[in-house]
Amino acid sequence: VGAALSRKVNRAYDKIRLIGSGLSVPERLAAWLLRMQDARPDQSACVKITLTHERIAQVLGASRESVTRALSSLKKLGVVEVRGIHFYVRDRGYLLGLLQPPQAAGQVCGSDVIPVTDVSAAI
């Protein structure tokens, strides 16, 4: 019972961090897809998602329309391919790039800016 409760608390904490992270909807979607892929034992490109756009939006703390728009954009770019309930992450680097702060040429990050190099740090 304690282990099950701990898992539920950790999942709730992850959701709260994702929603309160200040990331845009496409960035939250990218972080969520990467986390879903990382959760697979083989970390294959195929991620089985049995959630509707509405439910994904609830998980991400966004509107269904925003999630649909972000997912459509990723599909047009060829980053993600969707076949039914199977999402194929075709360009993991692009998703990771969404989570990186933009760097101006020759500009060094200030002490208050922490670049995201780990998906778990973004969510």
Side-chain angles (χ1 to χ4, degrees):
V1 174
L5 182 58
S6 176
R7 281 191 300 274
K8 285 186 178 185
V9 168
N10 284 330
R11 279 194 303 260
Y13 181 68
D14 285 344
K15 286 181 185 177
I16 290 169
R17 280 194 326 194
L18 181 62
I19 292 169
S21 65
L23 299 175
S24 67
V25 174
E27 292 167 337
R28 283 184 264 168
L29 180 61
W32 184 73
L33 285 170
L34 289 168
R35 188 179 72 204
M36 296 294 287
Q37 185 182 25
D38 290 344
R40 295 187 49 86
D42 58 356
Q43 293 186 350
S44 69
C46 179
V47 178
K48 184 177 177 182
I49 299 177
T50 58
L51 303 175
T52 63
H53 286 199
E54 180 67 33
R55 183 67 183 116
I56 293 170
Q58 289 173 355
V59 168
L60 298 179
S63 69
R64 184 200 53 79
E65 295 83 4
S66 296
V67 168
T68 300
R69 204 171 14 256
L71 190 55
S72 294
S73 174
L74 291 175
K75 287 192 299 190
K76 284 180 187 174
L77 292 170
V79 176
V80 175
E81 182 181 342
V82 180
R83 292 187 207 151
I85 62 171
H86 295 96
F87 284 54
Y88 295 88
V89 177
R90 298 294 182 205
D91 190 351
R92 184 177 172 86
Y94 183 88
L95 294 178
L96 287 169
L98 285 176
L99 302 176
Q100 300 293 328
Q103 296 290 324
Q107 181 181 1
V108 177
C109 288
S111 60
D112 60 335
V113 178
I114 302 171
V116 178
T117 56
D118 183 11
V119 174
S120 62
I123 53 175

